[in-house]
Amino acid sequence: MPQSRDSGRTAASAAGDTTRERVLTAAMEEFAAHGIAGARVDRIAKLARTSKERVYAYFRSKDALYADVAAREYLVIAEATQMDPYDLPGYAGRLFDYFVARPDHHRLIAWGRLELPGAAADADDPAQAVIARKIDQLRQVQQAGQLDPAWDPADVLALVNQIAMTWASQPELSEAAAAHAVDPTTAARRAAVVTAVEQLFPRAR
């Protein structure tokens, strides 16, 4: 039976979507390893089993490709760690766990902060939407009397994130801790993160 035009377009669209996903997966690996300036589109294309021209057909530039990869990663992190504004120590522990398991994902985000400082975010930037939602959640918990209102909720989020990623952002200290800490285990580092956040922003009772 001859294939209909609609089914032909559907198959072509599905193939295009699959190729685009392969490009994004390959780009994630390339950017995490080499940063934005050091990444090579030809290597991304080879890993994605497509052509360099095809990559540029999906993404107008290497920076645009990085922005797409990073935006997706922010959403993945938010979904995987699920901030509970009533339990910020628990949230910090989940962030710690996420980046311990995926140090390459932390490198991906870090490269963007280093190489694209002050870059203006798009109005529909999903990372900014996630941040705004978390700040609003924290403000609501303050209004409910479950979080110290003396803190600006933006500062609360920034401090919790920074504490949670202390070890991911300082691998040299992780090596030192493994050699010199009283308890060299990852569990001890996690416990320190959770305790620090608990002391600043206790769980709601």
Side-chain angles (χ1 to χ4, degrees):
M1 180 180 293
Q3 187 181 49
S4 72
R5 291 181 181 179
D6 286 347
S7 63
R9 283 196 294 269
T10 301
S13 176
D17 289 346
T18 300
T19 302
R20 189 177 189 277
E21 286 301 312
R22 290 203 309 270
V23 169
L24 288 166
T25 299
M28 164 76 198
E29 183 176 324
E30 178 74 7
F31 286 128
H34 302 287
I36 303 168
R40 295 290 176 265
V41 174
D42 54 348
R43 286 198 298 253
I44 293 171
K46 183 177 180 180
L47 188 59
R49 306 191 307 281
T50 190
S51 67
K52 187 174 179 179
E53 292 72 24
R54 192 66 175 166
V55 173
Y56 282 120
Y58 291 118
F59 305 97
R60 65 183 183 277
S61 66
K62 187 168 63 170
D63 284 359
L65 175 54
Y66 174 83
D68 204 311
V69 171
R72 285 160 58 101
E73 178 58 18
Y74 275 112
L75 293 177
V76 168
I77 294 168
E79 180 63 27
T81 58
Q82 288 292 323
M83 188 188 84
D84 178 354
Y86 290 93
D87 181 12
L88 294 177
Y91 169 59
R94 287 189 293 279
L95 276 176
F96 176 92
D97 292 339
Y98 185 88
F99 288 115
V100 165
R102 302 167 184 83
D104 55 327
H105 290 217
H106 183 272
R107 289 196 302 273
L108 173 78
I109 300 301
W111 280 118
R113 290 170 177 163
L114 286 171
E115 297 189 52
L116 301 173
D122 293 336
D124 58 349
D125 182 357
Q128 290 299 313
V130 168
I131 291 168
R133 184 170 65 251
K134 289 180 178 180
I135 290 173
D136 187 57
Q137 287 177 311
L138 292 168
R139 184 174 288 112
Q140 291 178 33
V141 173
Q142 287 177 319
Q143 292 169 351
Q146 297 294 327
L147 180 64
D148 186 350
W151 290 93
D152 189 304
D155 291 328
V156 174
L157 183 61
L159 288 168
V160 172
N161 285 349
Q162 192 62 43
I163 293 170
M165 292 186 280
T166 294
W167 297 100
S169 62
Q170 300 181 90
E172 70 282 2
L173 284 183
S174 294
E175 293 179 13
H180 304 294
V182 174
D183 182 346
T185 63
T186 300
R189 307 286 76 75
R190 185 188 195 279
V193 163
V194 172
T195 299
V197 174
E198 175 72 36
Q199 291 183 0
L200 278 171
F201 309 114
R203 292 177 176 87
R205 296 291 189 267

